[in-house]
Amino acid sequence: MQVDTHRNSLLTPSALAGGTIRQSAAIAGRQNMLDRKVAGFPDQPLISAQPLRYNVQLNQQLTHVQQADHFLQRTEKQVLQLNHAITRRAPIAEVQGQAEALQQLLTFRQQLSGGTVSRQLQVSLEARPQVKFTLRDGNTLLNNPQPEVLTFSLAGQKREVSAASLPAASSARQALLTLNQALGKWGIYGSLDSQRQVSFQVAEQDWARIDQHLSVKGGGERYPENQFFPVKPQMENGLEDDVQRFLKTPSVSTARQLLPCLDNALTTLSQQRRGLQRSKAAVQMRIESMATFSGSDTAQAASRQLAQQLNHESFAQLTQALAAQANVHCATVRNVLAQSQLSARAA
């Protein structure tokens, strides 16, 4: 569980929405929390003061949702401010300042979002964010009818090799399937869009190695033989690239050219935040389903019963009994206890 204690730091995203809670305040407020339904997402003192309330998987899901939502919220606000500055024809210095603030957010996207948001501002809570890219002459690579054996090489800390044998007169899908089998060992996966244009994707953390060290050797048809040829993948354009292009040559005309990119980004951000709201609702339902007590009365009654049992019974015997029950199905334990109660009443 990641808990932020520096809300004003750009490099440290706030995982919770309410700021720092002192431990003494959290302990003093526990009774009040039992008297009301959890209203925040999630209830901050329960996470900061009682980190073991939820299992590890749910804790990770909570953290990812919070980090993604916090980053998207900040990014959406900054995109709106930049869009507004351009549309009202603010001085170019003001527009440039808003663009630099947005660029700083996008530059530290991975840290601020906890690795949950991709370059295309797509949220990925379960899997790692992907980078989409194309290969030079990628469509020619798939549509060449000649057979050829392609040997791919990925250098870096160590050199790895993988080969793909493309049969004669193979379709684009068949050739792509063969390429995916060869490149899949490095996490590279290709697909065809509705216009039958090929694109590839790889985990963002692996992109730097793929970008700099992927090469291929062919048989003279698609690629030269006897030597490895750099593949030079081209990363798909993102908002970060558009803003950086404007900052290189800030002017009224380049600012106006940025407006369509900002509109598309706002649409994406809105869609992704709606998806996060659904994730929040699902997680909140899980939290509520895990609630042990419905109110303070039941919690106090259970505490009194436990205290009485600890006072009158041997703690070692109770621990041994609980350990034994933990290895037995809960339905079996209930049946045994029910039979014991019936026997006691009959006696």
Side-chain angles (χ1 to χ4, degrees):
M1 178 58 59
Q2 301 182 13
V3 179
D4 176 43
T5 58
H6 305 281
R7 284 181 58 86
N8 296 327
S9 174
L10 177 63
L11 296 179
T12 308
S14 175
L16 301 175
T20 303
I21 299 291
R22 291 187 176 86
Q23 185 175 3
S24 59
I27 295 175
R30 285 177 187 170
Q31 184 61 46
N32 293 332
M33 287 187 290
L34 293 173
D35 293 334
R36 61 177 176 81
K37 185 178 180 180
V38 177
F41 179 79
D43 196 345
Q44 179 175 333
L46 291 179
I47 286 188
S48 59
Q50 299 180 13
L52 297 181
R53 175 180 172 86
Y54 313 117
N55 59 41
V56 174
Q57 182 181 5
L58 184 56
N59 268 294
Q60 290 177 344
Q61 187 176 1
L62 289 171
T63 303
H64 291 167
V65 171
Q66 290 168 338
Q67 290 178 315
D69 186 55
H70 183 71
F71 173 77
L72 293 182
Q73 183 179 6
R74 294 181 62 181
T75 304
E76 185 178 40
K77 179 180 178 180
Q78 192 59 48
V79 170
L80 284 170
Q81 291 177 349
L82 177 57
N83 188 294
H84 181 63
I86 296 175
T87 52
R88 67 181 174 85
R89 298 185 179 181
I92 193 63
E94 179 181 343
V95 175
Q96 185 176 357
Q98 296 289 355
E100 289 174 349
L102 176 58
Q103 184 67 10
Q104 191 174 19
L105 276 174
L106 298 174
T107 299
F108 295 107
R109 168 183 49 83
Q110 286 187 307
Q111 296 93 321
L112 293 174
S113 68
T116 59
V117 180
S118 69
R119 292 185 77 255
Q120 304 302 321
L121 302 179
Q122 301 287 332
V123 175
S124 179
L125 297 176
E126 302 297 333
R128 297 178 298 177
Q130 302 287 305
V131 170
K132 293 184 178 180
F133 64 94
T134 57
L135 297 180
R136 184 169 52 185
D137 300 328
N139 293 313
T140 304
L141 170 66
L142 298 184
N143 295 309
N144 191 323
Q146 299 299 323
E148 190 173 11
V149 175
L150 302 180
T151 303
F152 293 92
S153 172
L154 184 61
Q157 294 183 348
K158 62 178 180 179
R159 188 180 185 88
E160 301 176 79
V161 176
S162 183
S165 178
L166 302 179
S170 60
S171 66
R173 291 191 179 278
Q174 290 174 335
L176 182 59
L177 178 61
T178 303
L179 286 178
N180 283 340
Q181 292 173 344
L183 299 175
K185 64 180 296 183
W186 301 315
I188 302 174
Y189 174 78
S191 59
L192 293 171
D193 60 18
S194 56
Q195 285 77 36
R196 300 185 65 81
Q197 299 295 312
V198 62
S199 63
F200 297 85
Q201 62 182 19
V202 69
E204 188 169 358
Q205 66 182 30
D206 300 327
W207 165 250
R209 186 184 179 199
I210 299 298
D211 181 36
Q212 300 174 12
H213 302 293
L214 184 63
S215 58
V216 62
K217 179 175 64 175
E221 292 292 338
R222 296 168 179 82
Y223 293 103
E225 57 182 337
N226 299 326
Q227 64 178 356
F228 281 99
F229 180 78
V231 174
K232 296 183 180 179
Q234 300 295 319
M235 181 188 294
E236 186 179 24
N237 189 68
L239 178 61
E240 183 177 348
D241 303 314
D242 297 323
V243 176
Q244 184 63 38
R245 199 156 35 243
F246 162 73
L247 290 175
K248 287 182 178 179
T249 56
S251 65
V252 176
S253 60
T254 55
R256 302 292 296 182
Q257 294 173 5
L258 191 59
L259 283 176
C261 306
L262 297 178
D263 291 338
N264 292 334
L266 287 173
T267 300
T268 301
L269 289 167
S270 178
Q271 293 173 347
Q272 295 301 305
R273 293 197 67 192
R274 284 198 298 269
L276 281 177
Q277 291 300 321
R278 292 191 292 269
S279 298
K280 283 185 177 182
V283 173
Q284 191 66 56
M285 290 179 61
R286 288 188 60 190
I287 293 175
E288 292 175 354
S289 67
M290 295 167 61
T292 306
F293 305 111
S294 58
S296 60
D297 294 339
T298 56
Q300 291 174 356
S303 299
R304 284 194 296 268
Q305 292 176 4
L306 178 59
Q308 292 173 1
Q309 192 164 11
L310 291 175
N311 286 332
H312 294 85
E313 300 289 342
S314 171
F315 183 75
Q317 293 177 356
L318 181 60
T319 303
Q320 185 178 5
L322 291 175
Q325 291 180 19
N327 296 322
V328 180
H329 196 277
C330 59
T332 304
V333 175
R334 285 198 297 268
N335 290 336
V336 171
L337 293 177
Q339 292 296 330
S340 300
Q341 188 176 14
L342 290 175
S343 299
R345 288 179 179 176

